[in-house]
Each structure stands twice: as structure tokens, then as C-alpha cells.
Amino acid sequence: MSRCTTTPVPVPPLASDRPAQAAAIRSTLDEAAAAINTQHAQVLSAVIAMKEQNLHRSEFGFSALRDLLVSQFDFTFNTAGAIAAIARLSGKFRVLAEAATTGKARIDQVAFAVRQLDQTTAMRHFARTPFKNPVPSPFDPQTLCTTPEAMVTEYCAHATFKDLRRHLDELWASIAEATELFDELGQQSMQRLDLTPQHNGMWALEGQLSDATGRLLEKYLKTACPPPRQDETDTDGILPPQANRHAEALHQLLAGYGASPQASTRHGHTATLNLVVDIETLQGHDTGRTPLLEGQPISPARARLLACEAAIIPAVFNYRTGEAVELGRAERLPNAALRRKLELEQPDGCAWHGCGRPVAWTEAHHLQHWADGGPTVAENLILLCRFHHGRIHTPGWTIEKTGPGTAVITHHDSHDTQTGPSQGGQGPSEGDGCGCSDWRTDKDMDAEHRDDDFDYFPTGLYRTEWSETLKPDLDALAEAIDHDRAVKAMRAAKAKCRETYGTPTPPAGPAVPGGPPPWLGCPPRWQPGRGREGTPPACRGQPPSSNPHQVRAYRHARQRQPTPAHTHPPPTQTLNRPGSQRRTRSPSPPCRR
């Protein structure tokens, strides 16, 4: 008797069972994630201990912690990189490292935070500088943060990666101030644009743009051109003055045409940048609110500079009353009539001494900033090119208008100029300066930096204005320019040497193998045509004189061995070879037995 057995067919879960299954899966994943994070914290503690005792070098033979974890312990590349970054910087950011080792925050969040905080010296010091008063955590009011690093730790533990990155951007913007302005000067000095015709009739466009110009170009292209189709997307991911001027011309083109009503629009807006800031922050007060340029945090110092430009539309708010302050173009920028008056008074362009930028490229600078109540009138305006306008906004500079289209610009090394004309005070007079001993005019500053070891860039960027962020790029470009100058100097020296002494012309006919170079002729003190067969005495192997120094020099030039001092010069015999020069050779010395 046989029995028939059947395999039960799995029954699909009922609708009422799905929430229970989801809850079970969630519990499993939560337990696994907790276990993985606990293991990562233990691994990080071990790697920090290994790094502090230098065991990765002495015992494992690895200088890089990430390579050690990947090759010896089979960690994934990303996990090993995050653990190595935290361990390497654990001595600088102990609060963040402790959050990672105790499991309070994930290692990927902490690794991103320590890498961002370690980018500059200023950020490292700022992260560990205590607050004047402890600040409560935005996630738990009972938790007080004593340093910016502790606040970043709270974001690593409770916030998303997007919020963490935005908080770090706001930290950088809050400490940037003049550093960010120097970044802008360095970017303008390295920008370049080359437009070259090709053999096939097309034109090649290649260059490098500053952040402000790149933002304008990117936004204008997005405005004027429709987004690409899916099949059109691409997933691959020495500075001549004319190229620098090309880049500035492109900026002026974009700034002028992008703000024009005739420019291409999308949703009713042209290619202009939006600046959101409150009036008190723009006036220099510490409000704790960060200005935003196209939604990205920037420093108040850069916001004051951008508020002067025509391509920037400032949206200024009064947070006390909760309303937007209406500061339109009529108040902020000169109208057409006032602009024409300024250009007629400054036909040569920028007010900076020796600047060759045309008047069409200049911007109207308020001696007393319009946010501080400065009026938009001719007496309070001076025309400056974009580069020197940015320089004026950096610390130490004052400018005073002395007449229609003329101004005195001075720099002060040992003190800031918060009472200068740009801030509403009185600037220096042309005769006696500001009263301190370290003031210099723009002409003096340019003369001091011109033709020095770091005078490389067409804009005249000073070495003291090289930003910390762009210093590697500026150094690399300066080294390339310096090398190019050295090559040109060597070529000029060689050309001058040929012009002075002439190019040696070797005699006709091949050189004798093993003999002297063919252009080493007879000494000029002997005239050709004398002696046997018209050969001068020197060519018959005779020393040029009895002077021992001349004898040695003569024999060295003829590649001969010097005669021993205790023997007389032996007689010579002449060797003649077809098509070669006549030369002499001494016979072998006699055998002495």
C-alpha cells in the first residue's frame, strides 16, 4: 500500500500579516545596524590605540591606516577610509572621536565632519574655541555645547547628512570674513579664457572662471538652454594677461546682459543672483544670521561686497519688524544719468592708480556703504574695476574722493580702518595720510610688489592676498610662470652671447678622429703662413713660448701628454692624412733598460 505525499504550497500572507512582517524585518535590521555600529566603534577604538602607539608602522609595516585595514583585515574601502580618517584626526577632535568610539554617532558622519573641520587652520582653531556662553543643542535643550566641535557632534548624532553638511557650511561662512574676500581676489587672478579658431572652422573655448563668474555663467546657461535629454547626458566625469582680460570681459557680458530685460528668461527671471540678508547683518552687527547667495551661506563681508554689484539682487529683511526692506535699484545703484556723469568724470576707467580696465567694466563703489545710510550721489560714488573693488573691501584700505573722478586710496598695516570712508568716517588727506606711520597709497603698494619674487599675475595680486584655500593652485601657477621666465632669460642670454662673440665656424673638411675640436685653431698671436709649408710654429708641435703656464695650456688644448720636466722635448714627426688637418705627434719615449 502506497501513500501519496504532497508538498504544501506556501500561502501568500494575508493583508493583516504584512504589518507584522514589516515590524519583524524592522526589528531585524535595527538589531543588525546596532551590531554593525557597535563593531565599528570597537574597531575604531582599536585603530586609535594602534595609531597612538605607532604600531601600524613598527609591527604591521604600514604608514597609511586605510591601506592596512583594506589589505590585512579585508575591510571595505569606504569603511576603512572613514575609520582611518577619524583615527588620524582623533588627537585634534577628541569630542567627535569619542562620539564615534562610544557609538553615539555613526563613523561615516563623524568622518565627514573631521575632514571638513581639518581643511584649514582657521577652522581647526575655531572648532575648539569655547563659546562665550554654552549653547543648547537644537536636538536636546538640556544638552549644552561648549565648543563648535560639540555642536557638530550633536549634528552627527541626531541630524541627517544633508543637515550636517549645511551646518558645517554655515560654520565656515561665519569665520570666513576677510579670508573669503581674499579667496575671491585669488580666483580673479587665476581666471582665464581662451577662444581659439580650429582648422575645421570651429572655435575652441577653454579657461578657468572665478566663483562669481562661474555662478553667473552656469545660471545663465541653465536659463537660456533647455535641460538635456536622457540620451544627451554625459556621465564621464601660463596665465597671459589677455586671457585674464577675456575672463573679465565674459563676466561683464554676463553681468550686463543677464540683468537686461531682453535676456533669456525662465519663470520670469533673468540670469541674476539673489542675495538674502538682513539689514543689521549687512551693517556689521553680530546677529547670528548668515547671508545666503542662491541659497548657499556666505560671510557678511562678502555680502557687503556683492550688494554693490549690479548682477546681484539683494533681498534685505528687517527681522525686528518681520518685513522686507525695500531697497530698490534706484537707491542702491546709480541711474543712467548719474552713471553717465561718473563716466564723464572718470573717462580713463578704474580709479586705482595704473589700472587699465575700461570705464565700461567699472562698478560704482559707495564710499559710505548704502546699507550704512550712504546716499547714491556723485559725491559718495567712485568707479572701480571688479578686482580693485573687491580689494577695497578687504581689511586695511580707505578711500577718499578728492574731486570729480579723483580719489586717494591708502592702506594701513598695523590697524584696521573701521572709521574710513567706506564705513562712513573720514579718509586720509593727500598730504599727510591718516596720521599713523604705516599708511601707503595704492601707487606705493603697487610699486613695492611690482617685479618682486611673487609678481606673477596680470591683476597685480599681492603675496599677502594669496588665500589659504587657493595657495596650492597659486603656487603651482606661479612656479610654472617662473620656469617660463627662466627659460626665456636663458634664451635671451644665449642670443646676446652669440651677438657679442659671434658663432664659431669650424673649418671645412671632417675632423681628425681623436684629435682636438676642429674650431680650436692656432693662437691668434702667431700669423699663418710662417714656418715650414706655411704652417705656423704652433701647428708643428712647438710650444708657443717658454712660459711654463702657456706650455701647459697649449699641450692641454692639443690633447697631449706633458713632457717630463727632466727630459728635453723629443723631435716631432708630421702625420699627413688625406682630407685632414696637419697635426704633429711625438714618438714614443726611448726604452730605458
Side-chain angles (χ1 to χ4, degrees), residues 86-108:
I86 300 173
R88 179 173 56 86
L89 300 173
S90 59
K92 299 178 181 179
F93 307 107
R94 298 187 180 276
V95 178
L96 283 166
E98 182 181 359
T101 54
T102 57
K104 180 180 178 181
R106 297 201 320 260
I107 62 168
D108 57 341

Side-chain angles (χ1 to χ4, degrees), residues 494-509:
K494 291 170 64 177
K496 184 177 179 181
C497 182
R498 292 191 185 100
E499 181 180 358
T500 303
Y501 299 103
T503 303
T505 304

Side-chain angles (χ1 to χ4, degrees), residues 359-411:
V359 67
W361 289 8
T362 57
E363 300 169 351
H365 170 70
H366 287 70
L367 277 68
Q368 182 184 7
H369 201 281
W370 62 269
D372 300 331
T376 306
V377 295
E379 292 75 13
N380 193 46
L381 296 174
I382 196 72
L383 298 181
L384 295 167
C385 72
R386 191 164 65 100
F387 178 83
H388 291 120
H389 191 186
R391 174 179 281 172
I392 287 296
H393 277 262
T394 60
W397 290 99
T398 60
I399 179 170
E400 179 189 14
K401 193 168 184 177
T402 56
T406 60
V408 174
I409 305 173
T410 53
H411 183 267

Side-chain angles (χ1 to χ4, degrees), residues 4-281:
C4 181
T5 59
T6 59
T7 302
V9 178
V11 179
L14 299 177
S16 59
D17 296 334
R18 295 175 67 86
Q21 289 186 354
I25 292 175
R26 178 183 294 274
S27 177
T28 301
L29 294 179
D30 285 339
E31 293 177 359
I36 292 173
N37 291 333
T38 301
Q39 292 295 326
H40 285 168
Q42 294 177 358
V43 172
L44 177 61
S45 300
V47 174
I48 291 177
M50 177 175 59
K51 182 255 181 186
E52 290 177 349
Q53 300 179 27
N54 203 30
L55 297 178
H56 60 292
R57 296 178 183 271
S58 61
E59 302 300 326
F60 294 94
F62 282 82
S63 59
L65 294 172
R66 183 185 62 188
D67 296 342
L68 170 63
L69 296 176
V70 171
S71 61
Q72 297 293 313
F73 300 100
D74 204 23
F75 281 92
T76 63
F77 186 83
N78 291 335
T79 302
I83 294 175
I86 300 173
R88 179 173 56 86
L89 300 173
S90 59
K92 299 178 181 179
F93 307 107
R94 298 187 180 276
V95 178
L96 283 166
E98 182 181 359
T101 54
T102 57
K104 180 180 178 181
R106 297 201 320 260
I107 62 168
D108 57 341
Q109 299 266 60
V110 176
F112 176 77
V114 296
R115 285 175 178 139
Q116 295 298 311
L117 294 177
D118 192 57
Q119 285 187 356
T120 62
T121 305
M123 182 63 87
R124 287 194 294 269
H125 289 304
F126 177 76
R128 293 174 292 182
T129 303
F131 293 127
K132 293 181 180 179
N133 297 310
V135 180
S137 169
F139 309 98
D140 183 11
Q142 302 300 325
T143 303
L144 298 180
C145 302
T146 58
T147 61
E149 181 186 357
M151 182 65 73
V152 173
T153 303
E154 289 295 305
Y155 275 86
C156 290
H158 304 288
T160 63
F161 180 79
K162 180 180 179 180
D163 292 337
L164 171 63
R165 181 170 57 184
R166 185 173 185 85
H167 177 68
L168 291 171
D169 291 341
E170 291 177 351
L171 280 183
W172 170 248
S174 65
I175 68 170
E177 292 296 336
T179 303
E180 196 169 65
L181 295 182
F182 288 140
D183 288 350
E184 182 111 356
L185 295 181
Q187 291 172 3
Q188 292 181 38
S189 296
M190 291 195 301
Q191 67 180 357
R192 56 189 298 269
L193 186 69
D194 290 317
L195 188 63
T196 309
Q198 302 297 302
H199 66 278
N200 58 358
M202 301 182 66
W203 290 73
L205 179 65
E206 187 273 331
Q208 180 172 283
L209 305 178
S210 67
D211 180 68
T213 307
R215 286 177 182 269
L216 284 171
L217 179 58
E218 181 188 28
K219 187 165 186 179
Y220 178 75
L221 293 178
K222 289 181 179 178
T223 303
C225 304
R229 299 192 306 270
Q230 184 66 28
D231 58 346
E232 295 177 339
T233 57
D234 187 4
T235 57
D236 297 332
I238 310 275
L239 184 62
Q242 189 61 39
N244 186 267
R245 291 176 65 88
H246 281 166
E248 182 62 23
L250 177 63
H251 174 87
Q252 298 299 328
L253 174 65
L254 295 173
Y257 182 68
S260 172
Q262 289 78 28
S264 302
T265 61
R266 178 167 293 173
H267 307 299
H269 298 285
T270 57
T272 53
L273 302 181
N274 295 315
L275 172 66
V276 179
V277 63
D278 67 283
I279 186 65
E280 293 183 349
T281 301

